[in-house]
């Protein structure tokens, strides 16, 4: 029986005027007590949209039962409550939302009972029964509302439609310490004072998000007195931190039961959480391997207050719960033609040449005698087998993630192929991300093992990265202890000698997580399966005619490890691969000479420095470079002039600029002669799709948004969408990013975020990035063509075309790099010259000493940063470097 306006003992309705909370949705519900509370009647406060839907004449699809944690209350779920009603009003799938205040919390009744986890699960069940909620039911929980809601879910599978959890934990390993924040809260002498006697625990929790003062006051409203804060202390004391704790059996029962849940699951996480870490999310995904996971980079513990999660939840329910969504209008979807499945495994060539004493890998950074270190196929194959068996003996299993913090060379090559051979998932994030970006990537990947050189291991120790530690080289005992190293690769090789190898992984098993450059936002982990990596190898081999005698020099990190897979010798030049501008022409020539390579693969920034240092080449260097037959540069657009100058150093090579990205490393390819013959279009010509890959265009609307329809019609500008056998499986724990990348398309398609068009010959032209499209009053304008025009002015070294002003009324500003000592407005003469070079109307021309670029490639201009700087300068702010 419910009592909408009756006030019971210590239970009350929230005060009016709380931001975002409709008082009409609050109700008090009398519920018969259960378990230790049997014989009592308890009064709950809930937010319930059931009556509001009934007034609208709407029958809900089901009920979302939302359970808050400590020390919040049902107010936490107001966005979900409001969004569900707004969608019902708009004719979308209606869901009833019941957001509860757990007993002793919020505006529900305070009682003398000490409530355990089992009691709270039973309490929730009694409330659900009293409200007559039959199903389908979706549970959503946060913090300690996670175990309560999931505990109910495990025990009520017959009515369950889906489960959702925000920042929570469901298991505490025996002997493991609590997170620091909870250790402080539960410390002797601190529990009562910090949680009940004062508002310290409440204050600290609310400080974890940047809350509006009125919202902060609303969260504090139910907890004004010591008596009303007893539940906060009770929740903290009920944390099952030891095997002997009263709630430990219930926690174990629930966490074990999760493994048997087959309903859709969604896990949303704010990574900046001092309470629930990545290991807690890792544990949840291990128990719910089918769950969709999304990490909101930059958000923390109070995720519901920091990100628009409500639409995420309701969109996900439309997609995942059967019959939940109304039929969507049919759109013209991109469809992939059937392709043959890739055959073989990435290490097949290594196995085939295991008795071959020819050179496989050349380490230009390590001298042996009069030359670099050469590793034969026999040596490499043996080392891979030993390390694979040693990793298995160390406890590394198929599916475990292994972070590799080792510079490209024989050691990294052997470790990588050993991991792949036993089914471990390699995590590759290079130092080019910067220490913060690298740390965010490694921590977010939650590696089980870190294999690193001393610098990487020291960073792992100092920054608290997870995972057992293995050193690339043998270290003194004192150093190993200081770095937390359990073994070296040499130790593993000895342990693996003569041991049998485990069964190889399946073709569709995950093989690698490769992190993007972070040039367009926080670096994302891109997941590849073994089949997709094999397809990449096959595409590269066929398109560029790689044979055992070809030889490969790679100054571009993503391709530095493919030599053994291609069955050809490979060498990485003497350089810092995380800083491409450290590569010199002499270093390339030395690597070519040592490997007798016919293919040279460099990044654009590396190419620029190779050309700039060409004056240091000797006659022997030039003779070696003259034997190169194929020169490739990828990772960012390369200007025709730079390509010509690079090819002049390799006069017998055909210069290629393949187009690709971490999500699909090879999409299209074009040669320098083809670029020179393709004239008249705006942008950078990147050629035709490779192999069986496909490219389509999703046209832009007037606000620069790409449509769900795609086309191959020539000269239609839009977002570039691609499909290929070697396209990624998805992003690591970025469900929303995955969904957006496939929006309106088939499963094996990807929205690249690049904009461009196809010409009448089927060649692809790239015109910039989707976020950099300038939305003028006349329609969307892409930046690259304008930049190319500006760069024809002799004084301009590089240019960035950016938008300034409100969306759909932006004006175009050219920011040019001229070597000027001070940033600011361009001179009248330069302004006139740049304006004369382009047909696009320019509101202003600004100069900078150097345009900011991304870290990894040192070549992708950060137009977002330049745009913000230009807006400040044009608003009258004193110019400084962007």
């Amino acid at each position: 029986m419910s009592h909408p306006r009756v006030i019971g003992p210590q239970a009350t309705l929230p005060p009016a005027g709380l931001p975002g909370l409709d008082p009409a949705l609050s109700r008090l519900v009398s519920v018969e007590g259960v378990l230790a509370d049997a014989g009592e009647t308890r009064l709950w406060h809930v937010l319930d949209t059931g009556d509001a839907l009934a007034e609208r004449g709407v029958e809900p699809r089901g009920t979302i039962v939302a359970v808050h944690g400590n020390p919040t209350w049902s107010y936490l779920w107001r966005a979900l409550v409001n969004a569900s009603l707004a969608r019902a009003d708009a004719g979308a799938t209606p869901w009833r939302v019941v957001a509860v205040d757990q007993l002793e919390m919020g505006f529900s009744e305070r009682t003398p009972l000490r409530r355990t986890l089992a009691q709270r699960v039973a309490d929730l069940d009694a409330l659900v029964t009293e409200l007559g909620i039959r199903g389908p039911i979706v549970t959503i929980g946060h913090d300690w509302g996670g175990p309560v809601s999931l505990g109910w879910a495990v025990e009520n599978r017959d009515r369950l439609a889906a489960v959702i959890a925000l920042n929570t934990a469901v298991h505490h390993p025996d002997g493991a310490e609590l997170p620091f924040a909870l250790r402080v809260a539960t410390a002797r002498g601190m529990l009562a004072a910090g949680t009940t006697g004062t508002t310290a625990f409440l204050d600290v929790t609310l400080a974890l998000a940047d809350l509006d003062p009125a919202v902060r006051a609303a969260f504090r409203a139910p907890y004004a007195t010591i008596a009303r804060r007893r539940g906060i202390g009770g929740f903290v004391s009920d944390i099952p931190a030891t095997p002997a704790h009263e709630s430990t059996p219930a926690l174990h029962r629930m966490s074990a039961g999760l493994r048997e849940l087959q309903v859709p699951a969604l896990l949303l996480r704010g990574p900046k959480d001092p309470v629930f870490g990545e290991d807690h999310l890792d544990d949840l995904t291990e128990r719910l391997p089918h769950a969709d996971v999304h990490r909101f980079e930059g958000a923390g513990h109070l995720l519901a207050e920091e990100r628009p999660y409500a639409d995420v939840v309701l969109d996900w329910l439309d997609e995942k719960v059967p019959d939940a969504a109304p039929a969507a209008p049919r759109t013209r979807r991109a469809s992939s033609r059937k392709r043959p499945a890739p055959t073989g495994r990435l290490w097949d060539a290594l196995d085939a040449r295991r008795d071959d004493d020819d050179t496989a890998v050349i380490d230009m950074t390590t001298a042996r005698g009069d030359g670099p270190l050469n590793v034969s196929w026999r040596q490499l194959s043996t080392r891979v087998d030993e390390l694979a068996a040693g990793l298995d003996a160390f406890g590394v299993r198929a599916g475990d993630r292994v972070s590799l913090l080792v510079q490209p060379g024989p050691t990294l090559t052997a470790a990588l192929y050993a991991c792949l051979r036993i089914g471990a998932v390699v995590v590759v994030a290079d130092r080019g991300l910067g220490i913060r970006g690298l740390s965010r990537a490694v921590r977010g990947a939650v590696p089980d093992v870190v294999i690193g050189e001393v610098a990487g291991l020291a960073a792992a120790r100092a920054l608290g990265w997870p995972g057992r530690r293995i050193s690339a080289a043998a270290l003194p005992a004192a150093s190993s202890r200081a770095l937390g190293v359990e073994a070296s690769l040499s130790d593993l090789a000895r342990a693996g000698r003569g041991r049998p190898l485990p069964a190889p992984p399946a073709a569709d098993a995950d093989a690698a997580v490769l992190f993007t450059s972070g040039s367009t936002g926080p670096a994302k982990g891109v997941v590849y399966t073994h089949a997709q990596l094999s397809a990449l190898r096959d595409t590269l081999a066929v398109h560029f005619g790689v044979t055992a005698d070809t030889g490969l020099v790679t100054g571009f990190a993503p391709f530095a490890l493919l030599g053994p897979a291609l069955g050809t010798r490979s060498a990485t030049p003497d350089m810092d691969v995380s800083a491409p501008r450290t590569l010199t022409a002499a270093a390339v020539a030395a690597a070519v000479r040592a490997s007798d390579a016919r293919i040279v693969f460099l990044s654009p920034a590396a190419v620029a420095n190779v050309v700039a240092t060409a004056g240091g080449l000797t006659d022997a260097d030039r003779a070696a470079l003259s034997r190169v037959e194929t020169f490739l540069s990828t990772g960012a657009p390369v200007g025709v002039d730079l390509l010509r100058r690079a090819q002049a150093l390799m006069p017998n090579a055909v210069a290629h600029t393949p187009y690709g990205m971490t999500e699909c490393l090879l999409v299209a390819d074009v040669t320098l002669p083809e670029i020179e013959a393709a004239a008249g279009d705006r942008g950078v010509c990147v050629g035709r799709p490779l192999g069986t890959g496909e490219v389509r265009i999703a046209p832009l609307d007037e606000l620069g948004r790409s449509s769900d329809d795609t086309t191959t019609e020539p000269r239609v500008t839009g977002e570039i969408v691609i499909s290929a056998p070697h396209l990624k499986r998805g992003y690591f724990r970025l469900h929303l990013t995955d969904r957006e990348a496939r929006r309106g398309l088939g499963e094996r398609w990807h929205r690249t975020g690049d904009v461009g068009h196809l010409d009448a010959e089927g060649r692809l032209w790239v015109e910039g990035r989707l976020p950099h499209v300038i939305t003028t009053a006349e329609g969307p304008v892409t930046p690259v063509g304008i930049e190319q025009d500006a760069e024809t002015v002799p004084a301009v070294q590089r240019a960035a075309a950016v938008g300034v002003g409100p969306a759909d009324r932006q004006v175009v500003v050219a920011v040019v790099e001229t070597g000027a000592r001070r940033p600011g407005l361009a001179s009248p003469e330069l302004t006139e010259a740049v304006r004369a070079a382009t047909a696009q109307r320019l509101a202003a021309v600004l100069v900078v000493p150097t345009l900011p670029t991304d870290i990894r490639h040192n070549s992708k201009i950060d137009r977002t940063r330049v745009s913000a700087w230009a807006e400040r300068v044009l608003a009258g702010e004193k110019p400084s470097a962007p």
Side-chain angles (χ1 to χ4, degrees), residues 716-747:
V716 174
T717 293
E719 184 176 14
I720 300 166
V721 299
I722 61 174
S723 181
H726 51 281
L727 177 67
K728 65 172 172 50
R729 178 182 68 74
Y731 291 108
F732 184 72
R733 295 181 178 174
L734 290 172
H735 169 70
L736 302 182
T737 310
D738 264 333
R739 191 174 67 187
E740 177 58 25
R742 297 191 302 268
R743 173 174 53 84
L745 310 173
E747 182 68 23

Side-chain angles (χ1 to χ4, degrees), residues 367-537:
R368 288 289 172 90
D370 294 331
L373 172 63
N374 289 353
V375 178
S376 71
W377 292 98
R378 185 194 301 273
Q379 290 170 321
L380 182 59
S381 179
T382 299
R383 189 67 165 181
V384 168
D385 285 351
E386 290 173 349
L387 287 177
L391 285 166
D392 181 60
F394 189 70
V396 179
R397 297 291 176 260
D400 286 354
R401 290 183 293 278
V402 180
S403 179
L404 299 174
L405 303 175
V406 183
Q407 284 285 306
T411 299
L412 177 58
T413 301
L416 180 136
Y417 282 88
C419 290
L420 294 176
R421 174 60 185 80
I422 64 171
V425 181
V426 296
V427 178
V428 181
D430 68 54
R431 288 189 295 135
L433 293 175
I435 191 63
R436 289 181 62 186
L438 179 60
S439 184
R440 184 166 50 230
V442 174
R443 289 179 64 85
V446 201
D448 299 283
V449 175
V450 174
I451 300 176
E453 294 165 341
V454 170
L457 294 171
R461 185 74 164 184
L463 298 171
W465 296 345
R468 302 170 68 188
R469 312 289 160 77
I470 297 171
S471 62
L475 300 176
S479 298
S480 292
R481 284 193 300 272
L483 295 172
V485 169
E486 297 182 45
S488 68
L489 288 178
S490 296
D491 295 332
L492 295 187
R494 282 192 295 272
R497 213 158 283 155
R499 284 177 58 95
L501 289 170
D508 62 354
D510 289 349
V513 179
L514 310 180
F515 276 86
T516 61
S517 67
S519 60
T520 56
K524 300 180 289 290
V526 178
V527 182
Y528 280 91
T529 66
H530 285 268
Q532 288 153 7
L533 289 181
S534 296
L536 172 64
R537 171 203 62 195

Side-chain angles (χ1 to χ4, degrees), residues 569-845:
R569 63 191 172 277
S570 59
T572 300
D574 187 2
M575 65 177 295
D576 180 351
V577 294
S578 65
R581 287 177 177 165
T582 62
L583 182 61
T584 64
V588 174
V592 169
R593 189 164 50 247
S595 60
D596 193 24
R598 297 296 182 264
I599 296 180
V600 172
F601 212 138
L602 305 177
S603 72
V607 173
N609 202 56
V610 166
V611 169
T613 57
L617 293 173
T618 65
D619 290 343
D621 290 337
R622 293 185 182 278
L625 292 175
S626 70
R627 295 196 294 272
V628 175
E629 298 171 355
T630 304
F631 160 63
L632 304 94
S633 181
T634 189
V638 184
V640 173
D641 181 62
L642 182 58
L643 275 180
R644 291 182 181 129
R645 292 163 65 196
Q647 190 179 28
L649 301 178
M650 295 170 271
N652 297 312
V654 177
H656 293 251
T657 59
Y659 166 68
M661 60 225 50
T662 310
E663 293 85 348
C664 189
L665 289 165
L666 291 173
V667 174
D669 181 44
V670 67
T671 65
L672 177 57
E674 289 170 334
I675 294 173
E676 292 173 324
D681 280 51
R682 307 282 283 169
V684 176
C685 181
V686 296
R688 296 177 179 84
L690 278 76
T692 57
E694 297 177 71
V695 173
R696 298 181 70 87
I697 302 297
L700 302 180
D701 66 13
E702 65 279 1
L703 292 178
R705 299 170 301 200
S706 61
S707 74
D708 288 351
D709 291 340
T710 64
T711 183
T712 55
E713 290 294 315
R715 293 186 173 83
V716 174
T717 293
E719 184 176 14
I720 300 166
V721 299
I722 61 174
S723 181
H726 51 281
L727 177 67
K728 65 172 172 50
R729 178 182 68 74
Y731 291 108
F732 184 72
R733 295 181 178 174
L734 290 172
H735 169 70
L736 302 182
T737 310
D738 264 333
R739 191 174 67 187
E740 177 58 25
R742 297 191 302 268
R743 173 174 53 84
L745 310 173
E747 182 68 23
R748 291 296 298 152
W749 283 83
H750 172 70
R751 292 178 176 272
T752 65
D754 288 335
V755 288
H757 68 275
L758 296 166
D759 65 16
E761 305 298 321
R763 293 170 299 212
L764 177 64
W765 295 71
V766 178
E767 301 178 53
R769 292 284 299 167
L770 189 61
H772 302 155
V773 171
I774 305 163
T775 55
T776 71
E778 293 77 33
V781 173
T782 55
V784 169
I786 304 168
E787 293 164 357
Q788 290 173 322
D789 293 340
E791 288 167 2
T792 63
V793 176
V796 174
Q797 298 166 9
R798 284 193 301 181
V802 298
V804 170
D808 81 0
R809 295 194 305 279
Q810 289 185 316
V811 295
V812 183
V813 174
V815 181
V816 298
E817 181 182 308
T818 62
R821 295 175 60 185
R822 292 195 181 113
L825 290 171
S827 67
E829 296 77 16
L830 180 58
T831 297
E832 183 179 351
V834 172
R835 281 177 169 159
T838 181
Q840 176 63 47
R841 186 169 57 192
L842 299 178
V845 178

